[in-house]
Amino acid sequence: MVEFFTDVAALSRLQFAITVIFHFLFVPLSIGLGLFTALAETRYYRTRKPEDKAASRFWVKIFTTTFIIGVATGITMEFSFGSNWANYSRFVGDIFGAPLAAEALLAFFLESLFLGVVLFGRKRLKPGLYLASTWVVWFGSALSALWILIANSWMQTPAGYEVVESATGGAKAQLVDFWAAALNPSTVPRYLHTVDSLVILGAFSVMAIGAYYLLRRRSAQQVAFGKRFLTTGLIVGIVTVILMLPFAHMQAAQVATTQPAKLAAMEGQWNDGPGNMTLFGWVDEANGTTTAVEFPSPGFVGILANGNADATYPGLITMKDGPVDLSNYTGPVDSVYPGGIPSVNLTFQAYHLMVVMYCLLVLWIIFAIILVRSEKHRKGKVLNYLMVFGPIVPFLAIQSGWIVAEVGRQPWVVYGLLRTDDAISMSVSAPEILITILLFIVFYAFLFVVWLRVILKMIKAGPQLEEGEAATADSSDDLKGGE
Amino acid sequence: MLSLISSPLAATGFIDAAVMDPTPLQILWFMIIGVLLLGYFVLDGFDLGTGALYPFIAKTDTEKAMVRRSVGPLWDGNEVWLLSGGGALFAAFAPAYATSFSGFYLAIMLVLFGLIARAAAIEFRSLERSLGGFFDAAFFLGSAVPALLFGVAVGNVVQGIPLDVNGDYAGLPLVGLLRPFPLACGLVGLSTMLLQGASWQSLKQPLESEVRARAVRLRRVLLILTLVLFALASVLYFLLVSPVVDFGTFGGILAIIAAALFVVGVIAAFVAQGNGMPATNPVTAKSQDVMSFVAANILPVSLIILTAATLFPYLIPSTGPGPSISVASAGGSELALTVMTIIACIGVPLVLIYHVMVYRTFRGRVTEDEALEY
């Protein structure tokens, strides 16, 4: 245990894990809700009805409050590459920098500047321009995600580079083909898989708020909002949950063909052979065994990845040490695996948790269909409660999915090129990181509590009609910014 | 003939990097990063300055709401200039980004926590009134601390820091950076941002308001303070960093021009401020406030040019034992820089158009109704 507290690499990983998981609570929610905010404003633009205006104002508040936390905690991520991963930054700068600069110039300015417009500019702009601003913010955030995922994907499946000696000493990756690097093998599947999951989260959050209003039934107006939110969320939810199947398949096939160690860890496969799919189980890493219930069709991973049940994959025992010649295996496409395996049980459990969460998503969609079809929502009280807690399901799916992606590629921070342990900052000491980890925990816990309180207050107050100034002013008192 | 690539700091005995000439693209990116940081200093300068002045110019809750409203729609976009500057440094000169962010670890983290605190404060202050005092303090500290530390960081880079052979910072964490010249630079930066903040408040607060009256009076005091601190930093520079300016270099001449520009800015701001009292005639007030704000922004412009001229061709001069990090030694590959240049050619004009649109949307003085609305 003492070793952990003096291990700069382990502490840096812990700090990165804490800060990135926290950041990725708010980013998915804001990208997901951004779409619904733009949709709500589009509806208002078409109808000009006061209740649609109220709904749009409501989503703008929820969305912007969440978005700002994502922005604030995103600065941490950009700083952390240089501050905690200096050797990594030196290694990948030539490749990683371009997408990051593009993210700032092409996407981040767009979303941040127009966020201010969406938050404060309703009365100052023509309706058409205001509507455009809400879409621009969403478009900017989705574009932002693209550049970040390009950088992340390059670390998973590097392409379009060569390794050269840098002028300041040490090796570095140098760009030789921008398009090959940007559209490396995992960029497209990862982007589709990720963005779809964010919209699913948005849909489930919108449904949850709708179900909450149907439970509370404060007024006829509130029930109407509840039905509307539930229906809108459900329509988008059905589409995105169905789309997830091909997107997840693309991603899994990419892992199977380009990241054999991650695949083996996901399925707990220790020995060479066909890829069998496991349903659930436990990995004993010390003894190199997996106890699991397997999918009845043998070699199912091979069937999914390249339509061949007999395709063979290297096992974790083979890949543990040193480079492995992959040409003897019919599954993966790369020629050599550089060696090393991740924490197998963590990867295994996270992967299976994600799959279980997907099954629950389908179940929840069915619940929502039942709720919407049965006009008497009062009778579906249990289902309504389940919908209120629904967003937890996609949240867990997203977080566990990223654990698979990031833990599963260890010990490499840049697959096959740079080990995580070699990526650290040499000039930062363990006590300094311990201090900042503690500060992050305090800051982030506080931010989370305040954000939650504010959001819950907003949800409780609900969309407020502007007519009847007196009544509006009274009930929206909590929401108002003033003193 | 002037030597373009030798530094005005050459006389100071920094350990030289391998002797290499920077390529035109590397020089271009050195300038682009300067422009991005300039954009940050000018734009976020006024909102950091506003935060640092907040407890002193806004007394009642309404006044506080109005001061927050004057930066509310803009601060987020302004901060992106910092992220772009950092991203561009990472992209174009990764070793300099890695060394500075890891070498200044605790200071960088203080800046980061400051920026997070003020984002939360601006956002939550009006939504969570039970914590009003707490968020007021967070807005103040989260603005003042970064405003001070940016200058300290720049001062340290200009004075040079100890680097080992791998290019990592080899001095003491944090305390090793608290040297007289960098601290003076920190104060110059803070004072400049306070001046920008006071000028912004003069421009944005209602004509007859108490807040504007305080801001107008303060901007005169802050102007004089900034000039005094700049003189102090200059004296410390000649005493502690480099006793001479090498006029044989392009950088040396540019540095002198930039320093002169700073003084011109101070004089212009002084003239623009009129008699130093808040004008009540709307037309006079508007022209005075606009001109004062514009003149105040000559200061950050000249400071960035001065820093760039003094540093070039270094990015992080080393006092040993390892070599300095220079534009040439840290520069990215020609292909990466070409791709980034294409991205910048598309992105920068768009960014400027967005700014014009957004600043036009929120032009004019803040009204009380508006400030209390959200």
Side-chain angles (χ1 to χ4, degrees):
Chain A
M1 211 50 200
V2 177
E3 275 167 29
F4 177 81
F5 289 110
T6 54
D7 182 347
V8 171
L11 290 172
S12 290
R13 282 186 71 182
L14 178 65
Q15 177 164 310
F16 194 85
I18 292 170
T19 53
V20 83
I21 285 177
F22 190 78
H23 178 57
F24 218 67
L25 292 175
F26 297 95
V27 171
L29 199 52
S30 56
I31 294 184
L33 288 177
L35 178 63
F36 287 91
T37 306
L39 285 173
E41 180 57 26
T42 307
R43 186 187 176 104
Y44 170 58
Y45 180 76
R46 290 220 179 115
T47 67
R48 308 314 286 175
K49 284 186 188 160
E51 64 267 28
D52 291 332
K53 184 177 190 180
S56 173
R57 282 159 44 94
F58 172 74
W59 288 117
V60 162
K61 277 184 181 169
I62 302 238
F63 165 64
T64 49
T65 306
T66 308
F67 190 98
I68 293 289
I69 306 287
V71 170
T73 54
I75 310 172
T76 309
M77 304 332 300
E78 198 203 90
F79 279 20
S80 74
F81 300 127
S83 64
N84 291 75
W85 305 97
N87 282 342
Y88 160 82
S89 300
R90 292 183 184 110
F91 186 83
V92 301
D94 207 55
I95 286 160
F96 200 101
L100 206 66
E103 197 256 346
L105 283 176
L106 299 179
F108 203 22
F109 270 118
L110 192 67
E111 49 181 324
S112 296
L113 281 161
F114 285 93
L115 183 79
V117 172
V118 169
L119 188 52
F120 293 106
R122 187 183 283 275
K123 286 184 183 154
R124 288 179 172 243
L125 282 181
K126 288 187 188 126
L129 281 176
Y130 185 78
L131 172 65
S133 302
T134 60
W135 280 104
V136 157
V137 172
W138 188 69
F139 173 73
S141 60
L143 190 62
S144 210
L146 173 66
W147 292 109
I148 293 299
L149 289 174
I150 282 177
N152 177 275
S153 296
W154 186 84
M155 291 154 65
Q156 307 265 356
T157 50
Y161 70 96
E162 63 182 356
V163 174
V164 299
E165 200 193 331
S166 79
T168 47
K172 68 166 188 173
Q174 189 162 301
L175 190 66
V176 293
D177 181 345
F178 173 74
W179 292 109
L183 299 176
N184 64 72
S186 65
T187 299
V188 173
R190 177 166 289 104
Y191 184 70
L192 296 174
H193 187 65
T194 306
V195 171
D196 194 48
S197 71
L198 309 188
V199 179
I200 290 177
L201 176 64
F204 272 65
S205 306
V206 172
M207 285 195 280
I209 294 173
Y212 173 71
Y213 293 148
L214 291 177
L215 270 178
R216 278 180 100 217
R217 312 188 84 84
R218 270 291 162 79
S219 61
Q221 185 62 59
Q222 198 179 53
V223 172
F225 279 128
K227 281 181 186 168
R228 158 113 55 87
F229 294 167
L230 191 62
T231 315
T232 315
L234 177 60
I235 293 168
V236 177
I238 290 173
V239 174
T240 47
V241 167
I242 291 173
L243 279 176
M244 184 50 85
L245 284 170
F247 294 162
H249 170 73
M250 283 168 74
Q251 175 104 59
Q254 168 264 313
V255 170
T257 49
T258 59
Q259 295 182 287
K262 186 190 277 183
L263 177 78
M266 282 157 65
E267 297 292 359
Q269 182 181 352
W270 291 93
N271 299 307
D272 293 2
N276 292 333
M277 184 176 277
T278 53
L279 295 176
F280 54 88
W282 192 259
V283 179
D284 180 353
E285 292 186 61
N287 297 315
T289 56
T290 302
T291 315
V293 175
E294 287 188 357
F295 190 71
S297 166
F300 200 66
V301 170
I303 294 177
L304 285 180
N306 46 16
N308 176 9
D310 298 325
T312 54
Y313 292 89
L316 291 161
I317 293 171
T318 315
M319 288 184 283
K320 218 170 178 173
D321 319 291
V324 182
D325 182 6
L326 293 179
S327 56
N328 304 325
Y329 303 92
T330 46
V333 295
D334 288 357
S335 51
V336 174
Y337 177 70
I341 60 169
S343 306
V344 182
N345 199 33
L346 181 55
T347 312
F348 180 95
Q349 300 303 346
Y351 171 65
H352 287 86
L353 179 64
M354 177 182 74
V355 175
V356 169
M357 287 302 124
Y358 181 77
C359 299
L360 290 185
L361 284 180
V362 176
L363 191 62
W364 251 254
I365 289 282
I366 293 168
F367 292 163
I369 293 173
I370 296 171
L371 267 181
V372 170
R373 286 182 63 92
S374 71
E375 288 295 306
K376 301 153 197 156
H377 293 292
R378 206 187 296 267
K379 285 194 175 162
K381 219 168 181 179
V382 179
L383 288 186
N384 267 325
Y385 268 113
L386 287 172
M387 293 315 296
V388 169
F389 290 97
I392 295 171
V393 178
F395 251 133
L396 285 177
I398 288 171
Q399 296 293 348
S400 55
W402 274 105
I403 289 173
V404 176
E406 301 303 295
V407 174
R409 71 182 150 106
Q410 300 300 327
W412 301 97
V413 66
V414 180
Y415 183 83
L417 300 178
L418 183 68
R419 283 177 186 270
T420 310
D421 287 347
D422 298 329
I424 58 171
S425 295
M426 304 304 287
S427 59
V428 181
S429 62
E432 289 175 86
I433 305 176
L434 276 172
I435 292 171
T436 52
I437 287 177
L438 287 176
L439 279 171
F440 275 119
I441 291 172
V442 172
F443 259 68
Y444 281 5
F446 176 76
L447 270 187
F448 184 76
V449 171
V450 177
W451 172 80
L452 197 63
R453 275 174 57 109
V454 165
I455 289 287
L456 290 180
K457 243 196 268 184
M458 286 176 177
I459 293 173
K460 254 186 194 162
Q464 301 291 328
L465 271 73
E466 272 195 330
E467 271 89 357
E469 290 280 342
T472 309
D474 220 359
S475 50
S476 70
D477 217 12
D478 284 345
L479 277 176
K480 281 208 165 180
E483 342 287 340
Chain B
M1 170 131 169
L2 295 176
S3 159
L4 179 67
I5 58 151
S6 62
S7 159
L9 294 173
T12 52
F14 291 130
I15 312 295
D16 226 322
V19 183
M20 278 187 292
D21 286 352
T23 67
L25 273 178
Q26 289 171 339
I27 297 173
L28 175 69
W29 274 91
F30 179 79
M31 293 194 288
I32 290 177
I33 289 166
V35 170
L36 291 172
L37 293 179
L38 179 62
Y40 180 67
F41 199 167
V42 167
L43 291 174
D44 217 30
F46 75 70
D47 77 56
L48 285 171
T50 295
L53 287 173
Y54 178 67
F56 309 107
I57 57 171
K59 302 293 178 190
T60 67
D61 276 355
T62 307
E63 287 177 358
K64 286 177 183 169
M66 292 178 74
V67 170
R68 290 197 309 276
R69 184 61 167 75
S70 72
V71 298
L74 306 170
W75 69 269
D76 186 17
N78 294 343
E79 216 164 270
V80 179
W81 287 90
L82 177 67
L83 295 178
S84 306
L89 186 64
F90 187 3
F93 305 104
Y97 165 74
T99 298
S100 55
F101 276 61
S102 63
F104 301 162
Y105 184 78
L106 288 177
I108 289 279
M109 290 293 148
L110 275 175
V111 168
L112 175 64
F113 287 116
L115 295 179
I116 294 174
R118 76 194 291 272
I122 298 172
E123 160 147 46
F124 290 132
R125 173 62 175 80
S126 54
L127 298 171
E128 192 61 281
R129 271 174 285 169
S130 55
L131 293 170
F134 178 82
F135 282 127
D136 284 345
F139 185 33
F140 167 66
L141 284 174
S143 304
V145 171
L148 175 71
L149 290 180
F150 287 131
V152 177
V154 169
N156 270 297
V157 170
V158 168
Q159 188 166 0
I161 54 174
L163 298 183
D164 66 20
V165 286
N166 297 318
D168 284 310
Y169 174 65
L172 285 172
L174 199 61
V175 287
L177 304 169
L178 302 177
R179 299 178 289 174
F181 172 68
L183 285 175
C185 290
L187 291 175
V188 172
L190 173 63
S191 174
T192 306
M193 288 187 185
L194 289 173
L195 174 67
Q196 291 168 265
S199 305
W200 182 250
Q201 291 313 311
S202 310
L203 186 62
K204 295 300 281 185
Q205 294 301 328
L207 208 53
E208 308 282 348
S209 66
E210 267 298 298
V211 181
R212 177 168 172 272
R214 292 184 198 116
V216 168
R217 284 194 295 269
L218 264 174
R219 73 184 178 192
R220 171 63 53 96
V221 179
L222 287 166
L223 186 62
I224 295 164
L225 180 68
T226 308
L227 184 65
V228 171
L229 289 169
F230 181 72
L232 171 72
S234 305
V235 170
L236 288 174
Y237 177 81
F238 289 115
L239 286 179
L240 301 172
V241 183
S242 170
V244 290
V245 177
D246 184 352
F247 286 105
T249 64
F250 179 72
I253 292 174
L254 189 60
I256 292 297
I257 295 172
L261 183 64
F262 185 92
V263 178
V264 169
V266 170
I267 294 167
F270 198 87
V271 173
Q273 288 174 4
N275 62 3
M277 298 309 285
T280 45
N281 176 322
V283 180
T284 323
K286 189 181 176 189
S287 79
Q288 235 176 49
D289 292 342
V290 170
M291 292 315 291
S292 301
F293 182 71
V294 172
N297 279 303
I298 297 175
L299 273 49
V301 174
S302 63
L303 288 173
I304 292 281
I305 297 174
L306 180 58
T307 308
T310 312
L311 272 179
F312 191 83
Y314 293 116
L315 289 167
I316 306 176
S318 166
T319 54
S324 300
I325 296 171
S326 71
V327 172
S329 75
S333 68
E334 290 294 289
L335 175 61
L337 294 178
T338 306
V339 173
M340 285 163 52
T341 307
I342 295 168
I343 292 169
C345 287
I346 302 167
V348 172
L350 287 175
V351 167
L352 296 178
I353 293 169
Y354 307 153
H355 274 83
V356 172
M357 288 168 73
V358 171
Y359 276 79
R360 273 184 61 85
T361 302
F362 295 105
R363 67 186 178 274
R365 294 181 189 273
V366 177
T367 65
E368 202 174 309
D369 291 346
E370 219 172 27
L372 297 181
E373 180 187 24
Y374 184 79

